[in-house]
Amino acid sequence: MRALTWHGIEDVRVAEVPDPTIQLPTDAIIRVTSTAICGSDLHLYRVLAPYLTQGDVLGHETMGVVEEIGSEVTRLKVGDRVVVPFVIACGECWMCERKRFAQCETTQDREQGTGAALFGYTSMYGAVPGGQAERLRVPFADVGPIVVGSEHPDERYLYLSDILPTAYQALEYADVPDGGTLGVVGLGPVGQLVVRLAVRRGIRVVGSDPEPERRALAVEWGAVAVDVDDAVQAMRDASDGRGPDAVVEAVGMEAHGNPAAAVAIGLASRLPKSVAQAAIEHGGIDRLSALMTAIDAVRRGGTVSISGVYGGVADPMPLRIMFDKGIAMRMGQCDVRRWIDDLLPIVEEEGDVLGLEQLATHRLPLDAAPEAYRTFQRKEDGCIKVVLKPELRPA
Ligand SMILES: NC(=O)c1ccc[n+]([C@@H]2O[C@H](COP(=O)([O-])OP(=O)(O)OC[C@H]3O[C@@H](n4cnc5c(N)ncnc54)[C@H](O)[C@@H]3O)[C@@H](O)[C@H]2O)c1
Ligand SMILES: [Zn+2]
Ligand SMILES: [Zn+2]
């Protein structure tokens, strides 16, 4: 089959790879109909290169049709239309029982000291081949996949795989009181969905992003949106000078605005593998400017809810300020399945109330993926979200 494979820093290629097969009786194989590129893929594209191996298949936002099931799969049948959560969980362990699927004790990588295995997310997270491909092997197929109906196009459901539950979790963690205010740092696909979910709840939202198009989209959905340097002031202005009750950080380790860390990232990703991994794990590679904005803006006693992915350990944090302001912080990979029962009815509401069918600015054949990664990374051509369709033929 054809799949998007990683070859080096900012070098991904569509190549022929072996078809996935059922390896365990709890597996399923799906034929991929839509698979999106995520902001998290951009970290793999560059900064996290030391964790990748040539030929790794990327992708973790996938949906399609069940083609084959293992002998112990009972909840799915061949022909079902499914969305596949990016987190691979067993459904039965101590963590899964508590709905902390992203911490699953069965699939977590103890050698790496990381949480549940993730599709297409490198040796750090189980080295499981991803879904930017014609087919995907889904482990624990009775646990993750969400069976959906046929009445709406793929894009209505696709984001249940990751960014929609991620945005929902960010908002749940933010715990904004009635009549409250929320700051959203970063208006990429995740930030946009946080805005839409929050406005729906009657929350006042102020977002920030360097990209004018992304700000304009957030404004269309009812937020105030400002450039990075104006973020803290605008968030305070919207909350009687106090700062928002909570701030969601939806940017992550590659935030703009910290040139020194940008250089460190560039260097770390080019070192030999073992040295580079050590540099990432023990050195400061994260660009913290977005997180610092969140900490600065949030009111005393408020919550910073981090969706953005971070990678280093030694980055200095303003602990005095965090302590003095009495800030609560919540963060982590999304427990996807935990939020699906809340989200599915919203997704299926008449009239596409979250604008999911319009979020993708680019719908392309799988073969266009390398170009699409570049366009999404550089935010060119009005690119906000890319959906790859393996069944589309190149023009
Ligand atoms: N926790 C999870 O489970 C989970 C799931 C999905 C994505 N993520 C992470 O969420 C983050 C956002 O993902 P996305 O798909 O929206 O990606 P994205 O890269 O498109 O969005 C990031 C946005 O932040 C903006 N930005 C950069 N620097 C900024 C700054 N200093 N202040 C304000 N905005 C700034 C960028 O212009 C961009 O619009 C990424 O770090 C991604 O890895 C986490
Ligand atoms: Zn993602
Ligand atoms: Zn588990």
Side-chain angles (χ1 to χ4, degrees):
M1 66 165 182
R2 314 272 294 154
L4 193 272
T5 56
W6 184 91
H7 286 267
I9 296 168
E10 296 178 356
D11 177 5
V12 291
R13 304 175 199 169
V14 177
E16 201 61 39
V17 303
D19 275 342
T21 54
I22 300 278
Q23 289 170 22
L24 291 169
T26 45
D27 289 352
I29 304 292
I30 71 156
R31 171 170 55 78
V32 177
T33 55
S34 291
T35 176
I37 306 178
C38 178
S40 298
D41 292 322
L42 294 180
H43 308 315
L44 306 181
Y45 194 50
R46 207 166 78 96
V47 187
L48 297 179
Y51 293 92
L52 285 121
T53 305
Q54 282 212 3
D56 278 353
V57 178
L58 306 187
H60 60 266
E61 300 188 359
T62 308
M63 71 179 289
V65 178
V66 177
E67 274 207 327
E68 207 184 332
I69 53 173
S71 58
E72 286 174 22
V73 174
T74 57
R75 203 174 55 81
L76 298 186
K77 55 182 190 315
V78 171
D80 279 350
R81 186 185 190 206
V82 292
V83 181
V84 184
F86 77 99
V87 171
I88 303 171
C90 77
E92 289 177 347
C93 70
W94 194 93
M95 286 293 176
C96 285
E97 266 174 13
R98 287 157 183 79
K99 297 189 185 302
R100 299 306 306 265
F101 300 110
Q103 314 299 337
C104 173
E105 289 178 341
T106 308
T107 70
Q108 69 175 235
D109 191 331
R110 290 189 167 70
E111 219 166 274
Q112 295 279 350
T114 49
L118 310 177
F119 286 103
Y121 226 75
T122 83
S123 57
M124 240 190 305
Y125 286 102
V128 184
Q132 287 163 3
E134 289 178 315
R135 287 186 170 63
L136 176 69
R137 169 183 165 246
V138 182
F140 296 104
D142 270 343
V143 182
I146 305 150
V147 180
V148 298
S150 57
E151 59 272 35
H152 301 296
D154 276 10
E155 282 83 347
R156 182 74 84 94
Y157 299 111
L158 176 61
Y159 308 125
L160 287 169
S161 59
D162 178 349
I163 55 171
L164 185 53
T166 293
Y168 193 85
Q169 176 169 303
L171 193 55
E172 288 292 310
Y173 281 3
D175 199 18
V176 180
D178 283 347
T181 305
L182 178 73
V184 180
V185 181
L187 297 169
V190 172
Q192 296 291 339
L193 293 177
V194 174
V195 167
R196 295 175 194 189
L197 289 166
V199 168
R200 238 179 95 84
R201 291 188 189 179
I203 295 169
R204 204 176 310 115
V205 185
V206 181
S208 70
D209 198 289
E211 298 295 324
E213 278 158 345
R214 294 178 178 213
R215 295 200 296 266
L217 186 60
V219 169
E220 252 177 61
W221 282 87
V224 169
V226 297
D227 204 346
V228 174
D229 289 339
D230 304 325
V232 174
Q233 192 57 47
M235 288 178 193
R236 288 196 181 133
D237 289 348
S239 52
D240 297 327
R242 200 171 283 127
D245 299 292
V247 179
V248 169
E249 194 281 7
V251 182
M253 63 177 107
E254 291 172 85
H256 293 275
N258 183 344
V263 172
I265 286 178
L267 286 177
S269 55
R270 283 175 169 80
L271 292 167
K273 215 171 198 157
S274 57
V275 183
Q277 290 186 2
I280 287 176
E281 279 152 26
H282 305 293
I285 58 129
D286 296 318
R287 291 152 73 177
L288 295 179
S289 56
L291 186 53
M292 295 304 181
T293 301
I295 293 168
D296 191 8
V298 74
R299 70 160 163 78
R300 289 177 175 275
T303 302
V304 171
S305 168
I306 309 175
S307 292
V309 169
Y310 284 90
V313 292
D315 307 288
M317 291 290 292
L319 274 174
R320 183 184 65 77
I321 296 170
M322 291 158 67
F323 180 84
D324 180 61
K325 286 180 78 168
I327 292 173
M329 280 187 132
R330 297 210 63 186
M331 65 192 90
Q333 300 283 8
C334 178
D335 290 314
V336 186
R337 256 286 173 194
R338 175 175 181 189
W339 312 109
I340 297 303
D341 290 348
D342 294 344
L343 281 168
L344 203 50
I346 303 177
V347 164
E348 293 195 312
E349 245 176 72
E350 198 63 40
D352 189 14
V353 291
L354 297 176
L356 301 170
E357 291 177 27
Q358 308 303 326
L359 186 64
T361 46
H362 293 64
R363 289 177 186 75
L364 299 165
L366 182 63
D367 281 301
E371 193 57 43
Y373 264 76
R374 249 189 314 276
T375 308
F376 180 50
Q377 182 200 37
R378 296 177 186 171
K379 301 170 181 63
E380 292 169 352
D381 192 26
C383 188
I384 288 173
K385 188 77 179 170
V386 180
V387 177
L388 302 166
K389 307 257 181 191
E391 287 166 3
L392 270 184
R393 287 293 136 229

